């Protein structure tokens, strides 16, 4: 893996103070919002405008990228007949690839960033199932700040998602099936 690590975090029911505290503990200066719809009925402090202001007040830059790497793309061809997102289709789309390219640029510049969505458990969010998997395939480290505020490595999370069937294969390729 590369030396510069990207992080991910879910807001869940955390207070904004607890959320900011975790970002500061891990030295995160840039928050990348990867929610397709950056609003919350249950936690209005995480609505896009309020969150951006709260983060600005704390010296943290807010960047919205839910339109490119969000878990609910606006492109109808990314869904199956039952309305479920097909991550393989999403990964093939130019908007997604451009979003991942932006993350890679941030990682190469060693910018301290975290990807944010609403789900606090990384095993239950597209941050690990889609974005994290893509980064893992590209050998880019992603550390998830879990529901307890602890770090979990993407490979560790992916193994839980796939019932421990994942491994790094021969010659360092990632076997994710």
């Amino acid at each position: 893996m590369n030396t510069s690590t990207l992080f991910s975090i879910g807001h869940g029911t955390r207070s904004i103070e607890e959320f900011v505290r975790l970002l500061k503990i891990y030295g995160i200066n840039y928050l990348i919002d990867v929610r397709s719809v950056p609003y919350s009925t249950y936690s209005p402090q995480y609505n896009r405008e309020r969150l951006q202001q709260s983060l600005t007040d704390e010296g943290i830059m807010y960047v919205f990228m839910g339109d490119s790497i969000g878990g609910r793309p606006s492109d109808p061809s990314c869904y199956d007949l039952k309305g479920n997102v097909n991550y393989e289709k999403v990964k093939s789309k130019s908007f997604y690839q451009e979003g991942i390219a932006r993350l890679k640029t941030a990682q190469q510049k060693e910018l301290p960033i975290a990807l944010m969505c609403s789900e606090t458990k990384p095993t239950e969010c597209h941050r690990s199932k889609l974005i994290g998997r893509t980064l893992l395939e590209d050998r880019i480290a992603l550390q998830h700040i879990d529901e307890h505020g602890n770090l979990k490595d993407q490979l560790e999370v992916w193994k839980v998602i796939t019932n421990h069937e994942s491994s790094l294969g021969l010659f360092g390729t990632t076997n994710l099936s």
Side-chain angles (χ1 to χ4, degrees):
M1 299 278 175
N2 293 326
T3 56
S4 181
T5 301
L6 304 178
F7 293 89
S8 93
I9 188 170
H11 67 70
T13 58
R14 290 182 170 118
S15 70
I16 193 67
E17 294 81 13
E18 172 68 8
F19 186 78
V20 168
R21 186 183 73 77
L22 286 169
L23 295 177
K24 289 185 174 189
I25 284 172
Y26 293 108
I28 295 162
N29 294 331
Y30 298 87
L31 186 79
I32 310 298
D33 191 343
V34 297
R35 298 174 297 166
S36 297
V37 180
Y39 297 95
S40 172
T41 302
Y42 302 105
S43 300
Q45 69 271 25
Y46 293 103
N47 288 347
R48 184 175 178 171
E49 294 79 11
R50 279 183 66 184
L51 176 61
Q52 185 171 9
Q53 186 59 57
S54 295
L55 293 172
T56 299
D57 292 347
E58 295 292 335
I60 299 170
M61 174 71 78
Y62 172 91
V63 179
F64 175 72
M65 289 184 59
D67 54 351
S68 61
I69 56 176
R72 306 290 297 164
S74 61
D75 183 338
S77 72
C78 294
Y79 296 84
D80 66 20
L81 296 176
K82 295 180 181 178
N84 299 315
V85 178
N86 180 322
Y87 289 152
E88 290 307 312
K89 286 183 181 178
V90 173
K91 287 171 57 175
S92 72
K93 301 295 182 179
S94 61
F95 60 83
Y96 179 77
Q97 293 167 3
E98 289 166 12
I100 292 296
R102 288 180 66 191
L103 294 181
K104 288 178 182 179
T105 298
Q107 187 264 343
Q108 290 167 352
K109 291 181 177 182
E110 299 185 2
L111 298 177
I113 71 167
L115 311 173
M116 184 205 78
C117 202
S118 58
E119 178 56 60
T120 57
K121 295 179 182 179
T123 55
E124 298 178 10
C125 186
H126 86 286
R127 296 186 324 270
S128 60
K129 294 177 180 180
L130 175 62
I131 301 168
R133 181 176 175 183
T134 300
L135 295 173
L136 182 62
E137 290 169 349
D138 290 341
R139 319 290 291 159
I140 295 173
L142 179 63
Q143 292 285 324
H144 300 280
I145 303 168
D146 72 9
E147 64 275 21
H148 306 292
N150 300 318
L151 294 181
K152 289 186 178 174
D153 178 82
Q154 172 61 26
L155 184 57
E156 173 188 355
V157 169
W158 189 252
K159 285 181 179 181
V160 171
I161 292 169
T162 61
N163 294 315
H164 293 65
E165 295 177 11
S166 302
S167 63
L168 290 179
L170 188 61
F171 307 116
T173 59
T174 306
N175 175 9
L176 298 174
S177 53

